[in-house]
Amino acid sequence: FALVREAAEAFGVVQVEAVGFEADDVIATLTRKALEEGVDVDILSGDKDLMQLITPQGHEPCVHMVDPMHFDRVSHDDVISKWGVSSDKLGDLLALAGDSSDNIPGVPGIGPKTAALLINEYGSLLKVIEQAHKIKQRKRRESILENSNNVLLFRQLVALNDDVPMDSLSLPPSYESVSNLRMSSFDPNRLTEFYNRMELKTCKEQLQQRLRANWVDFKAPPTPSEYDGVPF
């Protein structure tokens, strides 16, 4: 992770880590703290596990995700459209249907669409298991009954821990609250040096094109006009 840390420093991004905890758990914890402070949250990630944090429409403060590839905002309605369940039930669905990216096998014969149907019909993963004997389709019923203990374990594995101890986080010395975590002043010289070291010629050229004519000596944070077109 040394190179990732170096890149984050070059961009002036605040780095927060916690030894022994997943990055998802750190993000979930900071998200919870931000909501408690009344701060809206945009999570720049394509990790579907983090969709569990997205808040329903009208919830204030709110949590959205932003697709890092296309910078599209992902809302609660988008979660329902893609997965067929609300964000708070997404963990149930992943445990039941499986998630190959996290080595969660799920229940044999149960895919995302079937999992969504069952969760919506019975209300939750736990209720699906409790009432599995009522499921009409024999193979589906038997598969859930045979794997009930495993699927409960899978549910624990896909759950996000939003209670990482704050003293475990590598927060900056000036930390007072999540809302005051900010990128440092933009330094194109620092970023250019990083691009040169990594031989990222195209990135360096793009940086030069986007900055003002005196980019080499530009030390102040970007002006509002330089954020034009950024969707979040």
Side-chain angles (χ1 to χ4, degrees), residues 185-189 192 204-228:
S185 295
F186 181 62
D187 186 346
N189 297 313
T192 300
K204 177 183 174 182
E205 292 174 350
Q206 291 174 341
L207 174 66
Q208 293 173 333
Q209 292 171 4
R210 292 179 180 180
L211 291 173
R212 294 194 286 262
N214 60 337
W215 68 275
V216 174
D217 298 318
F218 177 56
K219 291 285 187 177
T223 63
S225 64
E226 288 169 330
Y227 282 118
D228 288 348

Side-chain angles (χ1 to χ4, degrees), residues 109-146:
I110 304 294
K113 290 184 178 180
T114 300
L117 287 172
L118 290 169
I119 291 167
N120 288 323
E121 180 177 354
Y122 292 98
S124 70
L125 174 62
L126 191 57
K127 290 182 178 178
V128 169
I129 294 172
E130 290 174 347
Q131 302 183 52
H133 61 281
K134 297 181 180 179
I135 296 174
K136 296 179 180 179
Q137 295 84 354
R138 181 179 60 81
K139 289 185 178 180
R140 188 179 299 176
R141 179 178 65 250
E142 292 176 351
S143 189
I144 292 174
L145 288 171
E146 291 171 3

Side-chain angles (χ1 to χ4, degrees), residues 4-13 15 184 190:
V4 175
R5 295 187 184 99
E6 192 176 344
E9 184 177 353
F11 280 95
V13 175
Q15 302 175 57
S184 61
R190 178 180 61 204

Side-chain angles (χ1 to χ4, degrees), residues 48 83 93-101 104-107 110-112 115 154:
K48 59 179 172 294
W83 296 103
L93 181 143
L94 294 175
L96 195 55
D99 181 3
S100 59
S101 64
I104 304 295
V107 174
I110 304 294
F154 302 155

Side-chain angles (χ1 to χ4, degrees), residues 17-26 29 161 163-165 167-169:
E17 303 177 29
V19 176
F21 294 93
E22 298 283 341
D24 287 358
D25 297 334
V26 173
T29 298
N161 176 11
D163 198 26
V164 176
D167 58 7
S168 297
L169 302 178

Side-chain angles (χ1 to χ4, degrees), residues 25-216:
D25 297 334
V26 173
I27 293 171
T29 298
L30 292 176
T31 296
R32 177 181 60 80
K33 293 289 290 183
L35 294 178
E36 290 174 355
E37 295 172 16
V39 178
D40 291 336
V41 178
D42 280 322
I43 301 173
L44 185 66
S45 175
D47 187 345
K48 59 179 172 294
D49 289 347
L50 292 171
M51 289 182 178
Q52 297 177 69
L53 300 173
I54 295 177
T55 52
Q57 186 174 358
H59 189 282
E60 295 293 342
C62 64
V63 180
H64 292 96
M65 286 179 64
V66 177
D67 178 359
M69 295 298 292
H70 306 288
F71 293 101
D72 294 327
R73 183 180 293 274
V74 181
S75 68
H76 189 259
D77 288 344
D78 294 322
V79 175
I80 295 174
S81 176
K82 180 176 179 61
W83 296 103
V85 296
S86 58
S87 57
D88 63 322
K89 296 293 191 298
L90 182 57
D92 287 358
L93 181 143
L94 294 175
L96 195 55
D99 181 3
S100 59
S101 64
D102 284 334
N103 295 315
I104 304 295
V107 174
I110 304 294
K113 290 184 178 180
T114 300
L117 287 172
L118 290 169
I119 291 167
N120 288 323
E121 180 177 354
Y122 292 98
S124 70
L125 174 62
L126 191 57
K127 290 182 178 178
V128 169
I129 294 172
E130 290 174 347
Q131 302 183 52
H133 61 281
K134 297 181 180 179
I135 296 174
K136 296 179 180 179
Q137 295 84 354
R138 181 179 60 81
K139 289 185 178 180
R140 188 179 299 176
R141 179 178 65 250
E142 292 176 351
S143 189
I144 292 174
L145 288 171
E146 291 171 3
N147 293 274
S148 58
N149 289 331
N150 288 337
V151 79
L152 289 174
L153 173 61
F154 302 155
R155 184 62 182 90
Q156 294 178 31
L157 294 175
V158 300
L160 299 176
N161 176 11
D162 66 356
D163 198 26
V164 176
M166 295 303 288
D167 58 7
S168 297
L169 302 178
S170 61
L171 295 163
S174 60
Y175 173 80
E176 295 178 358
S177 65
V178 173
S179 56
N180 73 359
L181 290 175
R182 292 286 185 273
M183 293 181 66
S184 61
S185 295
F186 181 62
D187 186 346
N189 297 313
R190 178 180 61 204
L191 185 54
T192 300
E193 180 186 351
F194 174 75
Y195 284 157
N196 284 335
R197 221 164 349 103
M198 296 297 110
E199 299 182 2
L200 299 172
K201 182 178 178 182
T202 300
C203 291
K204 177 183 174 182
E205 292 174 350
Q206 291 174 341
L207 174 66
Q208 293 173 333
Q209 292 171 4
R210 292 179 180 180
L211 291 173
R212 294 194 286 262
N214 60 337
W215 68 275
V216 174

